[in-house]
Amino acid sequence: MSGRSRRAAPGPRAARPTVTVCRGCCCGTPKVPGLDHSAQLRELRQALDGTATVRVTNCLDVCDRANTVVVQPSAEGRKRGGRPVWLGLVNDSEATTHITAWIKDGGPGLTDPPDILDLYTFSPSRRVRAELHED
């Protein structure tokens, strides 16, 4: 067998965006009051069923922007220059609605996010981004 590593062809998950929801340390806990964290995650999963993969991760180490959601582009979105978009302080259902509508329209690389999401967008450190394996 050759010394080259074999890379599997992208599965159906790569064909669509991935939404990573932080639910560790501060995000998803009573430290962020006034939000039904379970309902928010349920809403994202229901609204994006068949459109995006929604996954939960432990602490992303961006606690100053607790309740973080990262939208990673689909394979096509990445080919067109889309990069992961980090959204922090996603603490209301209206923000969740804007996020899901954007992803249904294509998400990063395929469709510009609604202007309102500029209020939530931030750039984490390279170390934090690398932990999500997006660079």
Side-chain angles (χ1 to χ4, degrees):
M1 179 170 243
S2 78
R4 287 187 290 171
S5 64
R6 292 186 178 187
R7 221 175 133 179
R13 297 176 92 181
R16 56 189 187 180
T18 299
V19 178
T20 303
V21 181
C22 185
R23 285 295 182 255
C25 189
C26 297
C27 301
T29 71
K31 290 181 182 179
V32 178
L35 176 65
D36 185 339
H37 302 283
S38 297
Q40 182 185 45
L41 183 57
R42 191 171 43 254
E43 180 183 340
L44 280 167
R45 285 187 166 146
Q46 288 172 349
L48 296 173
D49 186 36
T51 303
T53 299
V54 178
R55 67 182 184 164
V56 174
T57 190
N58 210 354
C59 186
L60 289 171
D61 200 20
V62 288
C63 297
D64 57 327
R65 299 186 188 263
N67 218 35
T68 297
V69 174
V70 183
V71 181
Q72 295 171 278
S74 64
E76 183 62 27
R78 189 166 285 277
K79 279 186 209 171
R80 294 186 185 189
R83 294 294 173 255
V85 176
W86 288 67
L87 303 163
L89 302 172
V90 182
N91 298 328
D92 60 71
S93 60
E94 188 174 321
T96 304
T97 300
H98 289 295
I99 293 166
T100 57
W102 173 47
I103 295 167
K104 286 179 179 181
D105 286 345
L110 300 178
T111 308
D112 290 333
D115 290 341
I116 190 75
L117 292 183
D118 289 347
L119 298 172
Y120 303 92
T121 303
F122 72 100
S123 294
S125 70
R126 272 190 236 155
R127 179 190 57 79
V128 170
R129 287 193 317 263
E131 288 176 11
L132 192 60
H133 307 291
E134 65 178 47
D135 285 334

